[in-house]
Amino acid sequence: MQTRRAFLASTFAASLAEGAEKPNIVMIYADDLGYGDLGCYGHPTIQTPNLDRMAARGMKFTQFYSTNPLCSPSRTALLTGRYPIRSGINVVLFPDSKGGLPSNDITIASLLKGRGYSTACVGKWHLGHLPQYLPTRFGFDSYFGIPYSNDMSPATSANPNRERKNSWAPTPLMRDDKVAESEPDQAEITRRYTDEATAYIAKSARAKKPFFLYLAHTMPHWPLAASAAFRGKSARGLYGDAVAEVDWSVGEILKALEKAGVAKNTLVFFSSDNGPARLGLEGGSAGLYREGKATTWEGGVREPAIAYWPGRVPAGVTTPAFGVTMDLFTTFAKLGGASIPADRPIDGQDISDVVLKNAPGREPLLFYYNQGALRAVRSGPWKLHVSACCTQPGGADRAYKDQAPPLLYNLEIDPSERHEAAAKNPDVVTRLLALIESHKKSFTPGAPQT
Amino acid sequence: MQTRRAFLASTFAASLAEGAEKPNIVMIYADDLGYGDLGCYGHPTIQTPNLDRMAARGMKFTQFYSTNPLCSPSRTALLTGRYPIRSGINVVLFPDSKGGLPSNDITIASLLKGRGYSTACVGKWHLGHLPQYLPTRFGFDSYFGIPYSNDMSPATSANPNRERKNSWAPTPLMRDDKVAESEPDQAEITRRYTDEATAYIAKSARAKKPFFLYLAHTMPHWPLAASAAFRGKSARGLYGDAVAEVDWSVGEILKALEKAGVAKNTLVFFSSDNGPARLGLEGGSAGLYREGKATTWEGGVREPAIAYWPGRVPAGVTTPAFGVTMDLFTTFAKLGGASIPADRPIDGQDISDVVLKNAPGREPLLFYYNQGALRAVRSGPWKLHVSACCTQPGGADRAYKDQAPPLLYNLEIDPSERHEAAAKNPDVVTRLLALIESHKKSFTPGAPQT
């Protein structure tokens, strides 16, 4: 297995023309945004003209996944290209957590930096806030942002971790590895991240060096906030205001790329870390999908995703091709001419042919983890839940329970997971259970960091 | 009231330049297609590239309504510009129904014919199949199609009207006022309608006369069918195949308009008659909306809707502006230079400023009828249900019951109708109940025809 992987890694690098101009890559990640929350995914009253235009001139995915339905593990997968339990990031990190991303983990920022990229992280990190876990230790030249969730402050009265929170520090806004401000005004945070990102784009373009910008918005994670220009402007309430400001930010990024003259050499990818928080009107919409954040129903992991690169990403394509955030690690590495690490399993696959050539995509084989446990698998059209919560649509039962027999759905014909089909397809159940067993045997979780 | 209406009608006509070139109008109506069933409304596995492109180059509505959640009343409203109970079309017509559209009803086809248009109806009529009710009696120069629903045949074994159906004739395919075929192969019906429609476009363009084409597809109404080119091709099963063929048909219509050289002088409007039939995997998806066909929850009446007219309809706009099928009567009349009838109440309003100028739209005041009874009202963001079925999401209780107290939802912030808000907004409830009372007092239903 290692031999084959090393071989693939070397041919992979060799296949790239050494002299080719390296594209800039901008990854924009929203927080807790649901599949149904954008105009181009059918939301009726949240207006997202910039993202809609990006989709109309680029590629919109309808079967793109977050690797995990929670913030910290989801971001681990995006940046390391691996199931997050390989890194031991199994649940969400808190301000009193002592752990974070293991020091030997390799992020896409490190890989691209090794190929001559300048790199910046702006926004929510959430892979450890202690000095040894910050973005600048993982390949990012600079960092500006709130290092964990915006509700993790003693000032946030409704935080469920009531007893712990009294020991927490005020919400920090960091510049590189220093706290620059305490309890920054969150209504200004989207605008400030955007200013930082657009300045970085202008500076990097002037330096004539390829760049990787990871802009991870704090919004629309609860507690919701928007600047004066957006507050009260959306018909969808404060949630819609916050999404509208993220959409504005996307427009500013695209404008900054144009202004700096690098739009035609920059891939912009937009997605969200997990499905909508199930907070009633303060959470988003999963559209036609069942449930939301912190579940392995489709509402927890199926994400809006848009790829944009004028002249390179085919325009106006809506693709059902499969993709998962882990794949972006491998895909960005390929675009930047970096070899993926050969000394460890990398779970993400290269989907550059989907993004650049509208290829049909790889076999959608995906294991769903939540809270460090494997809950479900998708293979082809089928999804098997071996452990599920909230088994009635909209049900209040939030605890995960082993499902015996497991629950089977055909996601291609039944994306809303309404028609359980195990009894009619025993052979599929058997095959998927075998896939899970085989995966577990070949798989070594890392020591828990959370 | 009549005086004011007559005055409006005359100024309305006078405001149109007599010499202006009249646009062609093509109205494409799908059957039982849900809000969530197109790629541009977020469906993951039904691919609709032609409709998606039409939306990207035209205007996509997110708050467009059918006037009624059932076939016959919905079509009555579209064609007459009035609440269908004014015509007595309260439920669905069957092959043994003796009624149909009253002879003194005025359709948009009649109005446009009076202004020099040639007119054609292709597809499902469902406003009466006896000679006196056919399209050719209501302003259409020609008709080709199945005059009622495609499941209304003795050959359709699962029809719920089991006892009645033994007396029914075989499904007729009509040419003008004659039965041309019995039990046509429904797998060919979308293709045949399309051939008829594109031939009509070519012929009309050659005649250099403005035309109005009403293409009302039989699909994707149950029993589902698709031609060999589409059957088995969609990941979404036969339902997806049928929608894909309707999407293909849209592409053929747009190509025919281009080929005939009239694309730049033709408004194409696409929508559906009501929400998805609740037939499990044989029915469509309402997306983020609650319930479906035959209910006055949003899933029953909120429709996909796309306006397309190169150079006239702003391109790439997603609008939350309000519209309802009745409005198309008034809007098409305006575009064709016809006065709306001054001798009767017309409920539809002119939304040409929305379609042509991306105006914000009129006050969304809408009374929801089903089975001849007023069930709900929408005013601004609010919707009040005074009579509702299936009061639990996904609930099996299909019977309508008076709701006392009524159920209130804010559709702008809660489009999925999950957060009942009557107790917190007693003033809104009072205002909306008063609106209903006032509407009922001013309103005269027609004699039932169904």
Side-chain angles (χ1 to χ4, degrees):
Chain A
M1 190 70 184
Q2 285 298 329
T3 309
R4 182 159 177 271
R5 187 171 296 115
F7 172 75
L8 285 173
S10 65
T11 52
F12 186 68
S15 72
L16 291 156
E18 275 302 308
E21 193 184 10
K22 293 187 177 73
N24 309 304
I25 297 169
V26 177
M27 176 71 211
I28 308 176
Y29 220 34
D31 198 348
D32 289 4
L33 183 76
Y35 182 88
D37 282 327
L38 306 182
C40 53
Y41 285 85
H43 199 282
T45 52
I46 301 177
Q47 291 186 268
T48 53
N50 292 293
L51 284 158
D52 296 355
R53 201 176 305 121
M54 188 173 150
R57 298 175 185 175
M59 180 176 286
K60 180 178 86 165
F61 287 80
T62 61
Q63 298 204 86
F64 194 87
Y65 284 87
S66 178
T67 316
N68 191 289
L70 284 172
C71 292
S72 299
S74 165
R75 289 150 204 272
T76 302
L78 172 73
L79 292 177
T80 68
R82 296 148 46 97
Y83 288 111
I85 72 160
R86 293 198 190 270
S87 305
I89 307 291
N90 300 340
V91 292
V92 165
L93 292 158
F94 286 93
D96 52 0
S97 296
K98 302 296 177 217
L101 205 57
S103 61
N104 63 340
D105 268 25
I106 298 171
T107 71
I108 183 62
S110 296
L111 285 191
L112 293 173
K113 190 174 168 71
R115 298 296 296 169
Y117 275 69
S118 76
T119 56
C121 176
V122 177
K124 176 171 172 174
W125 176 241
H126 217 177
L127 299 176
H129 66 285
L130 298 178
Q132 65 272 33
Y133 303 122
L134 289 171
T136 45
R137 299 295 180 103
F138 287 93
F140 287 102
D141 297 331
S142 64
Y143 175 56
F144 178 73
I146 297 175
Y148 40 73
S149 290
N150 57 327
D151 62 333
M152 294 178 173
S153 156
T156 307
S157 61
N159 193 289
N161 295 279
R162 209 167 284 269
E163 286 175 28
R164 290 167 62 173
K165 76 171 186 185
N166 293 327
S167 69
W168 293 350
T171 300
L173 176 67
M174 305 195 74
R175 165 82 58 195
D176 300 326
D177 56 354
K178 300 280 189 301
V179 174
E181 287 175 38
S182 282
E183 296 290 354
D185 179 359
Q186 294 197 15
E188 299 298 326
I189 206 70
T190 300
R191 186 189 56 71
R192 293 181 72 182
Y193 288 172
T194 306
D195 289 350
E196 181 79 11
T198 54
Y200 173 75
I201 288 169
K203 188 185 71 175
S204 302
R206 280 196 304 270
K208 306 224 179 279
K209 198 174 164 184
F211 62 87
F212 172 61
L213 168 63
Y214 171 45
L215 170 54
H217 282 288
T218 285
M219 291 295 137
H221 190 291
W222 186 88
L224 300 163
S227 70
F230 291 89
R231 199 161 49 239
K233 300 291 166 62
S234 156
R236 172 58 184 84
L238 190 51
Y239 184 85
D241 299 344
V243 175
E245 192 156 15
V246 168
D247 178 74
W248 163 83
S249 174
V250 169
E252 292 302 298
I253 298 296
L254 298 187
K255 269 193 250 171
L257 293 169
E258 287 286 349
K259 196 173 164 195
V262 295
K264 289 188 177 162
N265 195 35
T266 305
L267 170 67
V268 183
F269 201 99
F270 176 89
S271 195
S272 176
D273 66 336
N274 47 246
R278 293 172 300 164
L279 294 168
L281 297 174
E282 295 183 84
S285 170
L288 77 170
Y289 298 118
R290 186 165 164 182
E291 295 290 347
K293 179 178 179 178
T295 81
T296 44
W297 296 99
E298 291 298 292
V301 288
R302 191 84 70 100
E303 306 302 330
I306 303 168
Y308 178 84
W309 184 356
R312 293 297 302 279
V313 169
V317 169
T318 297
T319 180
F322 181 73
V324 55
T325 47
M326 297 186 297
D327 297 342
L328 296 178
F329 172 94
T330 312
T331 305
F332 293 168
K334 172 153 186 176
L335 294 173
S339 302
I340 59 168
D343 65 343
R344 63 194 69 200
I346 296 291
D347 303 302
Q349 295 186 19
D350 171 26
I351 59 167
S352 58
D353 277 357
V354 174
V355 174
L356 301 179
K357 299 175 186 167
N358 194 18
R362 65 159 163 122
E363 153 73 1
L365 175 62
L366 181 65
F367 297 91
Y368 294 64
Y369 287 86
N370 188 23
Q371 299 166 8
L374 198 163
R375 310 286 182 182
V377 58
R378 178 172 181 180
S379 176
W382 298 103
K383 179 177 177 187
L384 189 77
H385 296 260
V386 291
S387 170
C389 67
C390 350
T391 50
Q392 295 305 311
D397 178 6
R398 302 288 283 275
Y400 273 87
K401 288 177 192 159
D402 287 348
Q403 298 293 326
L407 306 172
L408 182 71
Y409 299 88
N410 182 323
L411 294 186
E412 288 185 350
I413 64 169
D414 178 25
S416 302
E417 295 173 287
R418 285 185 185 158
H419 304 279
E420 206 281 315
K424 287 184 182 164
N425 299 279
D427 52 329
V428 176
V429 173
T430 303
R431 184 168 65 77
L432 268 57
L433 286 174
L435 270 177
I436 289 175
E437 285 314 304
S438 156
H439 168 78
K440 281 184 173 170
K441 273 184 199 156
S442 74
F443 191 90
T444 312
Q449 305 293 322
T450 47
Chain B
M1 190 70 184
Q2 285 297 331
T3 309
R4 182 158 177 272
R5 187 172 294 114
F7 171 75
L8 285 173
S10 65
T11 51
F12 187 67
S15 71
L16 291 156
E18 275 301 307
E21 193 184 10
K22 292 185 177 75
N24 310 303
I25 298 169
V26 177
M27 176 72 211
I28 307 176
Y29 219 34
D31 198 349
D32 289 4
L33 182 76
Y35 182 88
D37 282 327
L38 307 182
C40 54
Y41 286 86
H43 199 281
T45 54
I46 301 177
Q47 291 186 268
T48 53
N50 293 292
L51 284 158
D52 296 355
R53 201 175 305 122
M54 188 174 149
R57 297 175 186 175
M59 181 177 286
K60 180 177 87 164
F61 287 79
T62 61
Q63 298 205 85
F64 194 86
Y65 284 87
S66 178
T67 316
N68 192 288
L70 284 172
C71 292
S72 299
S74 164
R75 289 151 205 271
T76 302
L78 173 73
L79 292 177
T80 67
R82 296 147 46 99
Y83 287 110
I85 70 161
R86 292 198 191 270
S87 305
I89 307 290
N90 299 339
V91 290
V92 165
L93 291 158
F94 285 94
D96 52 1
S97 296
K98 303 295 178 219
L101 205 58
S103 62
N104 63 341
D105 267 26
I106 297 171
T107 71
I108 183 62
S110 296
L111 285 192
L112 293 173
K113 192 175 166 71
R115 298 295 296 170
Y117 276 68
S118 76
T119 56
C121 177
V122 176
K124 176 171 172 174
W125 176 241
H126 217 176
L127 299 176
H129 65 285
L130 299 177
Q132 65 273 33
Y133 302 123
L134 288 170
T136 46
R137 299 296 181 101
F138 287 93
F140 288 102
D141 297 331
S142 64
Y143 175 55
F144 178 72
I146 297 175
Y148 40 74
S149 289
N150 57 328
D151 63 333
M152 294 177 172
S153 157
T156 308
S157 61
N159 193 290
N161 296 279
R162 209 168 286 268
E163 288 176 26
R164 288 168 63 174
K165 76 174 187 181
N166 293 327
S167 69
W168 292 351
T171 300
L173 177 67
M174 306 195 74
R175 165 82 59 196
D176 300 326
D177 56 354
K178 301 279 189 301
V179 174
E181 287 175 40
S182 281
E183 295 291 354
D185 179 0
Q186 294 197 15
E188 299 298 325
I189 205 71
T190 299
R191 187 189 56 72
R192 292 180 72 181
Y193 288 172
T194 306
D195 289 350
E196 181 79 12
T198 53
Y200 173 75
I201 288 169
K203 189 185 73 175
S204 301
R206 280 196 304 272
K208 306 222 178 282
K209 198 174 163 185
F211 62 87
F212 171 61
L213 168 63
Y214 171 46
L215 170 54
H217 281 289
T218 285
M219 292 295 139
H221 190 289
W222 187 89
L224 300 164
S227 70
F230 292 90
R231 200 161 49 238
K233 301 292 165 62
S234 155
R236 173 56 184 86
L238 190 51
Y239 184 86
D241 299 344
V243 175
E245 192 157 12
V246 168
D247 178 74
W248 163 83
S249 174
V250 169
E252 293 300 299
I253 297 296
L254 298 188
K255 270 193 249 172
L257 294 169
E258 288 286 349
K259 196 175 163 193
V262 296
K264 288 189 177 163
N265 194 35
T266 305
L267 170 68
V268 182
F269 201 98
F270 176 89
S271 195
S272 175
D273 66 336
N274 47 245
R278 293 172 300 164
L279 294 168
L281 296 174
E282 296 184 83
S285 170
L288 76 169
Y289 298 117
R290 187 165 163 181
E291 296 290 347
K293 178 177 179 177
T295 80
T296 43
W297 295 98
E298 291 300 292
V301 288
R302 191 84 71 102
E303 308 302 330
I306 303 168
Y308 178 82
W309 183 356
R312 293 297 303 278
V313 170
V317 169
T318 297
T319 180
F322 182 73
V324 56
T325 47
M326 298 187 297
D327 297 341
L328 297 178
F329 171 94
T330 313
T331 305
F332 294 167
K334 171 152 186 177
L335 294 173
S339 300
I340 59 169
D343 65 343
R344 65 194 67 201
I346 296 292
D347 303 302
Q349 294 186 20
D350 171 25
I351 59 167
S352 59
D353 276 356
V354 174
V355 174
L356 301 180
K357 298 176 187 166
N358 194 17
R362 66 159 162 118
E363 154 73 1
L365 174 62
L366 181 65
F367 296 91
Y368 295 64
Y369 287 87
N370 188 24
Q371 299 167 9
L374 197 164
R375 310 286 182 183
V377 60
R378 179 172 181 180
S379 176
W382 298 104
K383 179 178 177 187
L384 189 77
H385 295 260
V386 292
S387 170
C389 67
C390 351
T391 50
Q392 295 304 310
D397 178 6
R398 303 289 284 273
Y400 273 87
K401 288 177 192 157
D402 287 348
Q403 298 293 327
L407 305 172
L408 182 71
Y409 299 88
N410 182 323
L411 294 185
E412 288 185 349
I413 63 168
D414 177 26
S416 302
E417 294 172 286
R418 285 185 186 157
H419 304 279
E420 206 281 314
K424 286 184 183 164
N425 299 280
D427 52 329
V428 176
V429 174
T430 303
R431 185 168 65 78
L432 268 58
L433 287 174
L435 270 177
I436 289 176
E437 285 315 302
S438 157
H439 169 77
K440 281 184 171 170
K441 272 185 198 155
S442 73
F443 192 90
T444 311
Q449 305 291 323
T450 48

